[in-house]
Amino acid sequence: MSYQSLVITFLLFISIFPKPNFSEDKPNTSPDVDPATLIYEGLKGENASLPSKEVFSLAIQGWSKMKENLKSKVLTVIDFSLPSTTKRMWIIDPEKGEILLHSVVSHGRNSGELMAKSFSNQPESYKSSLGFYTTAETYNGKHGYSLRLDGLEKGFNDQARNRAIVIHGADYAREEFAASVGRLGRSLGCPALPSELSAKAINLIKDGSLLFIFGKDQNYLSKSSLIKA
């Protein structure tokens, strides 16, 4: 048999039997990664630490559900499970993976001293309220340039506007105050920011972005529909 005939015979032989699919025998080495993890691992910001992955994941769950109805895709995360002496507020652009601002923030006077442990939606409680908010309009009041908030979660923060829960600047919310007293000063329930940063923060998040305030409160964590996958 000629060489050409042997080649033709070999090609006919291998065409009868399909090539083995070795990939079918290999386990999937690329497990699915949820969107929150992808965003979290890509976050970057100059001299900014990250929020905890647990808190960030809850914030992103709500943001993902709400983002199509938001005028701004910026997300603010406040973690009241941390002491007030730490920088526990992050303003984040999830789509660009950037931390735009990282700051200390005050909690309500009746929520606790160094740590915020008690939360309320009730008027005159002087406590912080947990959950998701949308940022609204700005105004100039007794604390200067301020930002109104509308609570999105009935029973947890929907009284925010009635309670005048707003973002504003305050000298008692500055790190220098915390260094001398051992904690930040406390508000009447507002997430108050350092006076030198408040205008910048307000301009980043005003007019229709999402804000999430987290706290270790089992009632909220078990009942909020926005943090459930």
Side-chain angles (χ1 to χ4, degrees):
M1 183 181 292
S2 67
Y3 177 77
Q4 185 178 13
S5 298
L6 285 172
V7 172
I8 293 173
T9 301
F10 177 72
L11 292 174
L12 287 171
F13 175 79
I14 64 173
S15 69
I16 297 173
F17 300 96
K19 295 179 181 179
N21 186 356
F22 295 108
S23 64
E24 293 180 355
D25 300 325
K26 294 180 180 179
N28 183 3
T29 56
S30 301
D32 292 334
V33 179
D34 66 278
T37 298
L38 289 174
I39 297 172
Y40 186 80
E41 292 179 349
L43 283 179
K44 55 186 180 295
E46 186 175 354
N47 299 322
S49 65
L50 301 180
S52 74
K53 190 172 181 180
E54 172 199 4
V55 172
F56 182 77
S57 294
L58 295 177
I60 285 294
Q61 285 180 28
W63 179 81
S64 297
K65 292 176 182 178
M66 299 291 299
K67 65 179 181 178
E68 298 306 320
N69 298 319
L70 298 171
K71 294 180 181 178
S72 168
K73 297 301 189 289
V74 171
L75 170 65
T76 303
V77 179
I78 294 175
D79 184 357
F80 277 157
S81 69
L82 299 174
S84 66
T85 50
T86 64
K87 292 183 177 182
R88 53 185 181 169
M89 187 192 81
W90 296 261
I91 298 176
I92 299 166
D93 186 330
E95 295 186 336
K96 294 182 179 178
E98 294 181 359
I99 297 174
L100 305 176
L101 192 80
H102 186 206
S103 174
V104 294
V105 58
S106 290
H107 56 255
R109 68 167 61 161
N110 288 340
S111 282
E113 296 278 340
L114 177 64
M115 306 292 296
K117 299 179 179 180
S118 181
F119 307 95
S120 177
N121 190 39
Q122 295 299 316
E124 308 302 322
S125 65
Y126 302 152
K127 294 182 180 183
S128 298
S129 300
L130 301 179
F132 289 90
Y133 301 74
T134 51
T135 63
E137 73 276 12
T138 61
Y139 69 99
N140 283 288
K142 65 179 182 179
H143 296 290
Y145 189 49
S146 304
L147 175 65
R148 297 194 192 279
L149 301 173
D150 289 313
L152 299 175
E153 301 198 71
K154 187 174 182 179
F156 292 109
N157 61 22
D158 60 324
Q159 291 297 311
R161 187 170 282 261
N162 291 338
R163 295 179 61 201
I165 301 300
V166 303
I167 291 180
H168 63 79
D171 287 340
Y172 62 72
R174 302 174 73 237
E175 291 183 75
E176 291 82 357
F177 185 99
S180 64
V181 177
R183 60 165 172 78
L184 287 190
R186 296 160 300 159
S187 67
L188 299 183
C190 299
L193 300 177
S195 50
E196 66 271 21
L197 289 179
S198 59
K200 179 180 179 180
I202 288 169
N203 286 333
L204 283 171
I205 68 176
K206 65 182 180 180
D207 297 330
S209 71
L210 195 68
L211 180 148
F212 175 59
I213 298 180
F214 172 84
K216 289 185 177 179
D217 182 87
Q218 193 56 42
N219 184 46
Y220 173 76
L221 295 174
S222 64
K223 293 181 180 180
S224 171
S225 62
L226 289 176
I227 61 173
K228 294 178 181 177

